[in-house]
Each structure stands twice: as structure tokens, then as C-alpha cells.
Amino acid sequence: MFEVLKFRRVGSHDLVALGRGHGSLGALGALLLWPHNPALWLLQMRPKVMWHLLRRYMASRLHSLRMGGYLFSGSQAPQLSPALMRALGHKCPNLRRLCLHVADLTMVPITSLPCTLRTLELHSCEISMVWLLKEQDPTVLPLLECIVLDRVPAFRDEHLQGLTRFRALRSLVLGGTYRVTETGLDASLQEMSYLQRLEVLGCTLSADSTLLAISRHLRDVRKIRLTVRGLSAPGLSVLEGMPSLESLCLLGPLITPEMPSPAEILSSCLTMPKLRVLELQGLGWEGQEAERLLCKGLPHCMVIVRACPKESLDWWM
């Protein structure tokens, strides 16, 4: 029997298994083997159930897997294991995207993850101090292009420095990684000049220091997304003339008097030759004169001014 109550369609290619109940593994097998469904979302799969899925149903056509763990369920809760991760890579050789939520990875070394991954997302997960050290095997995850670190409390400068060994990495998202320092970010970006997308959200880093590090080291960056904590007009001006920047997103809430005015934002954006998207979220400017000024002054850009969306507490939403 299987610990899933029902399936829910999330997108045109995604199915999510929700709840705890008893259903048919045969039905799940049919869904996994459906050729037009390369993605599956699993909520709190016990390891023994995952082993059963791997042995009988998961196959080469699975490209994306999103799983929830038991991090907050106590020390006796079932956890992921290195053997399970290695088996996942063996049975699903085309797995490109792995998203883990509330999972305890302290006993799961990064070397055990499927080597085919191009995207790795960690949301509210725990990792060990040695999880991402630069001195580890450079052949680990050779295809990794995107890594999302969202509310990973243990993540710090040493881990960030460890990311520099992923030479295929082009997209980095740091969300709520409060142990990362300005010095650590600057030193790491110096070795990741190939990044094309950087998001720094809800961290203790000031926006000015982040933009300064970007302007120094990421001259080919195409997309920047960051919260406006500590952002000033001089800080924003360091992006002026960035040759490849196509998308700039500034997220509120607006909490500092040093925040650049709409006219100052417009002035800086006009110097960015390839800018095509400017998004201002949660600054309270929607429907105001600020929005009209920016839309009129940047006719070559898609200007998006909106409130912050409400966040769901359910990770599968």
C-alpha cells in the first residue's frame, strides 16, 4: 500500500501526490510511466516507499522530482539516505531537476546526488558543514547550472566558496542565507564571473554591497533580483553601463529613507543598453506617479510595478 491520498495537477507536466492515506501503487506507476509527464511532486515520502517506487516505477523519462522530507518531525523520523540518492541517479539517468523541501541532508553528502542534475533546489533544508567544501571532488555534479538555497540555516561563506567549483553554474539564488557575509559574497563572486543570474533575497547583506560585488565581478550578468534593504541611489548607480543586464528586479518592503527615487532609478536604467525588464515589487508604487514615470521613461522596457504576492505556507503550491 502507498502513503498517498490523491494526486493534483499543478502544471501541464507536473503531478503532485498529496496527503497521507492508502492508494494503489499501480495507479502511481501509470502516472510515472505516462510519456507526457516528466515531472513528479512527492509529499513526505517515507524512504521505504521511495525504494519501492525506484524499483518498480521510476524510469528514464523522469526529468524533474520535487520531494518533501521530515526535518521537523523529530529525531526518529525517517530521513533520506546516500544509498537512496545514488539509486535515484542510477534508475533515473535523465533526472535534471531535484527540489528538496524540509529535508535533513546532514548525513547525505553532495557526492551521492545524481550526477545528471542541472538544477538543485534546497528549501528549508539542513546541510552539514562539509556539504559544499571547495576541496571536494571537482567531478561532482558536472552539469549543475542552477542552485537555489532558500532558508538553509547552515549555509555560510565556506559553502558559498565551495560553489566556485561548479564551472557550469550560471544561476545562483540565495534566499534567507543570513550567515553569508559581504566579504564572503565578494570573494566568491570573484571566482564566479560566469554567472548570468543572481538573486539575493531576504539576507542580512545590504543591497548596496551586493550590487558593488556584482559590478566588480559579474560583468556578463543578465538577471539581478534582490531585496532593497540598504539600497541607495549611489549603490544602484554602480550598475550603470552594465553591458549584458536584461532584467532587474527590486523587492520591498520599502523600509529605508535612502531608497532611490523613481527618477534616480530611471536615470540608472537608461544607461543599461540591454535592459528589457524592470520589476519593482512591494514598494507601494503601483498605480502611483512613480509607475507612470518609469513606464513613460523606459518605453523599450517591460515595467512591472506590483505588490508582493502572498506566500503560501504549503511548499507544493
Side-chain angles (χ1 to χ4, degrees), residues 108-128:
V108 181
I110 196 170
T111 53
S112 66
L113 299 185
C115 63
T116 56
L117 292 182
R118 295 180 182 271
T119 297
L120 174 63
E121 296 186 20
L122 305 182
H123 301 271
S124 300
C125 293
E126 279 290 355
I127 60 175
S128 68

Side-chain angles (χ1 to χ4, degrees), residues 75-144:
S75 59
Q76 301 303 315
Q79 304 297 342
L80 300 178
S81 69
L84 181 60
M85 290 292 103
R86 286 191 288 266
L88 180 64
H90 177 73
K91 193 66 184 291
C92 306
N94 290 312
L95 187 65
R96 299 174 184 173
R97 181 170 181 250
L98 178 62
C99 306
L100 300 174
H101 296 253
V102 291
D104 186 351
L105 304 176
T106 53
M107 303 303 292
V108 181
I110 196 170
T111 53
S112 66
L113 299 185
C115 63
T116 56
L117 292 182
R118 295 180 182 271
T119 297
L120 174 63
E121 296 186 20
L122 305 182
H123 301 271
S124 300
C125 293
E126 279 290 355
I127 60 175
S128 68
M129 282 298 298
V130 299
W131 213 74
L132 274 169
L133 293 186
K134 191 175 182 180
E135 295 76 15
Q136 289 179 343
D137 186 354
T139 63
V140 174
L141 301 181
L143 305 177
L144 190 65

Side-chain angles (χ1 to χ4, degrees), residues 138-191:
T139 63
V140 174
L141 301 181
L143 305 177
L144 190 65
E145 298 175 351
C146 173
I147 185 164
V148 176
L149 297 146
D150 174 30
R151 291 164 293 176
V152 181
F155 190 82
R156 59 186 67 209
D157 288 349
E158 292 82 358
H159 294 120
L160 184 59
Q161 187 67 24
L163 295 180
T164 61
R165 62 193 168 92
F166 298 121
R167 308 310 294 180
L169 194 66
R170 294 297 179 269
S171 179
L172 172 62
V173 178
L174 301 176
T177 51
Y178 61 88
R179 294 181 185 272
V180 173
T181 67
E182 295 177 1
T183 302
L185 181 69
D186 186 79
S188 298
L189 293 188
Q190 186 173 2
E191 297 186 52

Side-chain angles (χ1 to χ4, degrees), residues 53-304:
L53 295 179
L54 282 171
R55 293 188 183 107
R56 296 194 56 183
Y57 299 108
M58 289 187 179
S60 61
R61 61 176 59 95
L62 186 66
H63 291 172
S64 177
L65 178 62
R66 184 183 295 265
M67 298 171 55
Y70 290 85
L71 179 60
F72 306 122
S73 300
S75 59
Q76 301 303 315
Q79 304 297 342
L80 300 178
S81 69
L84 181 60
M85 290 292 103
R86 286 191 288 266
L88 180 64
H90 177 73
K91 193 66 184 291
C92 306
N94 290 312
L95 187 65
R96 299 174 184 173
R97 181 170 181 250
L98 178 62
C99 306
L100 300 174
H101 296 253
V102 291
D104 186 351
L105 304 176
T106 53
M107 303 303 292
V108 181
I110 196 170
T111 53
S112 66
L113 299 185
C115 63
T116 56
L117 292 182
R118 295 180 182 271
T119 297
L120 174 63
E121 296 186 20
L122 305 182
H123 301 271
S124 300
C125 293
E126 279 290 355
I127 60 175
S128 68
M129 282 298 298
V130 299
W131 213 74
L132 274 169
L133 293 186
K134 191 175 182 180
E135 295 76 15
Q136 289 179 343
D137 186 354
T139 63
V140 174
L141 301 181
L143 305 177
L144 190 65
E145 298 175 351
C146 173
I147 185 164
V148 176
L149 297 146
D150 174 30
R151 291 164 293 176
V152 181
F155 190 82
R156 59 186 67 209
D157 288 349
E158 292 82 358
H159 294 120
L160 184 59
Q161 187 67 24
L163 295 180
T164 61
R165 62 193 168 92
F166 298 121
R167 308 310 294 180
L169 194 66
R170 294 297 179 269
S171 179
L172 172 62
V173 178
L174 301 176
T177 51
Y178 61 88
R179 294 181 185 272
V180 173
T181 67
E182 295 177 1
T183 302
L185 181 69
D186 186 79
S188 298
L189 293 188
Q190 186 173 2
E191 297 186 52
M192 291 191 283
S193 59
Y194 41 80
L195 283 181
Q196 296 179 357
R197 170 194 173 208
L198 178 64
E199 300 188 16
V200 181
L201 312 171
C203 300
T204 56
L205 303 171
S206 74
D208 277 7
S209 66
T210 299
L211 292 179
L212 182 59
I214 291 173
S215 68
R216 285 175 176 171
H217 310 303
L218 305 185
R219 299 302 298 177
D220 295 326
V221 69
R222 297 180 182 178
K223 181 175 182 179
I224 298 173
R225 193 165 179 257
L226 76 162
T227 49
V228 298
R229 177 184 175 275
L231 180 63
S232 67
L236 182 62
S237 69
V238 301
L239 292 183
E240 293 180 0
M242 289 290 282
S244 302
L245 187 60
E246 300 172 358
S247 176
L248 175 63
C249 179
L250 303 176
L251 285 77
L254 182 59
I255 56 176
T256 58
E258 296 82 12
M259 176 70 189
S261 68
E264 290 170 326
I265 292 176
L266 174 61
S267 177
S268 292
C269 289
L270 286 172
T271 70
M272 304 171 191
K274 291 192 176 181
L275 190 68
R276 294 296 177 265
V277 178
L278 173 64
E279 182 176 353
L280 304 172
Q281 191 176 113
L283 302 183
W285 291 354
E286 55 274 14
Q288 304 297 318
E289 180 60 30
E291 181 175 3
R292 290 188 285 271
L293 174 68
L294 291 167
C295 290
K296 182 178 179 179
L298 297 169
H300 60 290
C301 276
M302 177 187 296
V303 178
I304 304 169

